């Protein structure tokens, strides 16, 4: 298998995306990567991330590839779960307390911080509209997050998300209450869910 064939395979598996880190892991040099990118007319969409000419630019996936520590949350997680009517104007992510997120805020990304023990609670992999896999919080964790940050949210977005979640056949109220307890917002979550049941 030639080096270009190896790269073709990586691009195929990556849904049109190719990362410098993958190339180096496969023992292929940066000059070969540069030649490949040029010959295949690939676009550099972020530092160390290239996309084929006919590939779909997936902003959430590109952000995920360049920031492995982020977890999509709040309005962005609502959108990924279909609990929001339209794509949010601002991307929201959660990171561990102490993480330097100034580069994210410069891109107008809303950053939330959590204690390390709460960071992985309810994390799952989900597919974006373009079929790429990113990390986000599950529906129950997302509902807890929006209840906790209700005052900073658009009330219509909040109400729509709550209504959609409560009528969803995929909701898990036991998980919701377990998370609420862990995140120390049990009474607030109970209040909202009892009103809507």
């Amino acid at each position: 298998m030639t080096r270009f064939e190896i790269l073709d395979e990586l691009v195929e598996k990556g849904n049109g995306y190719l990362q410098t880190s993958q190339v180096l892991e496969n023992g292929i040099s940066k000059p070969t990567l540069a030649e490949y990118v040029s010959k295949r007319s690939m676009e550099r969409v972020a530092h160390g991330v290239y996309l084929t000419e006919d590939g779909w630019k997936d902003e959430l996936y590109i952000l995920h590839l360049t920031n492995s520590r982020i977890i999509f949350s709040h309005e962005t997680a609502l959108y990924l779960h279909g609990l929001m009517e339209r794509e949010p104007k601002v991307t929201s992510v959660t990171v561990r307390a102490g993480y330097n997120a100034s580069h994210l805020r410069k891109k107008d990304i809303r950053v939330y911080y959590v204690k390390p023990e709460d960071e992985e609670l309810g994390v799952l992999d989900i597919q974006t509209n373009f079929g790429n896999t990113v990390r986000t919080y599950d529906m129950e964790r997302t509902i807890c997050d929006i209840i906790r940050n209700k005052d900073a949210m658009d009330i219509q977005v909040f109400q729509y998300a709550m209504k959609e979640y409560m009528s969803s056949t995929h909701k898990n109220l036991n998980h919701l209450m377990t998370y609420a307890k862990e995140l120390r917002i049990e009474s607030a979550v109970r209040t909202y869910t009892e009103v809507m049941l």
Side-chain angles (χ1 to χ4, degrees):
M1 205 183 234
T2 69
R3 288 174 298 184
F4 270 36
E5 285 169 347
I6 292 168
L7 294 176
D8 283 339
E9 203 170 87
L10 287 173
V11 168
E12 181 73 30
K13 282 182 188 162
N15 204 8
Y17 287 87
L18 182 64
Q19 291 176 267
T20 304
S21 57
Q22 294 174 297
V23 174
L24 298 175
E25 279 167 21
N26 279 275
I28 297 168
S29 69
K30 283 186 179 179
T32 303
L33 169 62
E35 185 188 346
Y36 179 83
V37 164
S38 171
K39 286 206 167 127
R40 295 287 194 266
S41 302
M42 292 183 83
E43 180 191 354
R44 181 180 182 262
V45 290
H47 179 73
V49 182
Y50 301 91
L51 178 61
T52 55
E53 240 180 336
D54 59 351
W56 290 95
K57 205 168 191 179
D58 183 345
E59 296 299 341
L60 294 181
Y61 186 58
I62 293 166
L63 191 59
H64 161 80
L65 290 177
T66 54
N67 299 274
S68 61
R69 306 281 293 281
I70 66 169
I71 301 164
F72 291 108
S73 62
H74 299 78
E75 286 94 334
T76 305
L78 290 176
Y79 176 69
L80 288 167
H81 288 294
L83 298 174
M84 200 165 160
E85 289 178 284
R86 62 188 178 279
E87 197 170 345
K89 290 183 183 84
V90 177
T91 300
S92 300
V93 301
T94 293
V95 293
R96 178 186 293 228
Y99 178 83
N100 181 358
S102 55
H103 66 290
L104 295 171
R105 282 194 297 277
K106 277 181 195 159
K107 293 178 185 172
D108 285 331
I109 292 164
R110 191 175 296 136
V111 180
Y112 295 90
Y113 292 93
V114 289
K115 294 176 182 172
E117 62 268 23
D118 295 335
E119 183 184 21
E120 294 291 322
L121 185 69
V123 170
L124 57 76
D125 288 338
I126 197 168
Q127 285 202 332
T128 67
N129 291 346
F130 299 101
N132 299 305
T133 304
V134 297
R135 278 167 31 104
T136 191
Y137 286 117
D138 65 15
M139 285 199 294
E140 285 69 29
R141 169 64 188 264
T142 301
I143 293 299
C144 286
D145 285 342
I146 69 165
I147 287 173
R148 195 185 338 188
N149 291 286
K150 180 182 171 285
D151 295 341
M153 279 187 77
D154 178 320
I155 189 67
Q156 287 174 315
V157 170
F158 179 81
Q159 287 173 340
Y160 181 85
M162 291 301 295
K163 190 170 70 81
E164 288 297 301
Y165 174 73
M166 293 308 284
S167 63
S168 169
T169 54
H170 301 295
K171 72 177 177 292
N172 186 328
L173 296 175
N174 288 335
H175 267 157
L176 182 68
M177 292 319 296
T178 301
Y179 291 169
K181 196 172 186 176
E182 296 245 353
L183 296 167
R184 299 157 294 282
I185 54 165
E186 207 174 352
S187 63
V189 170
R190 199 175 292 282
T191 301
Y192 282 105
T193 51
E194 281 171 1
V195 164
M196 303 199 74
L197 277 174

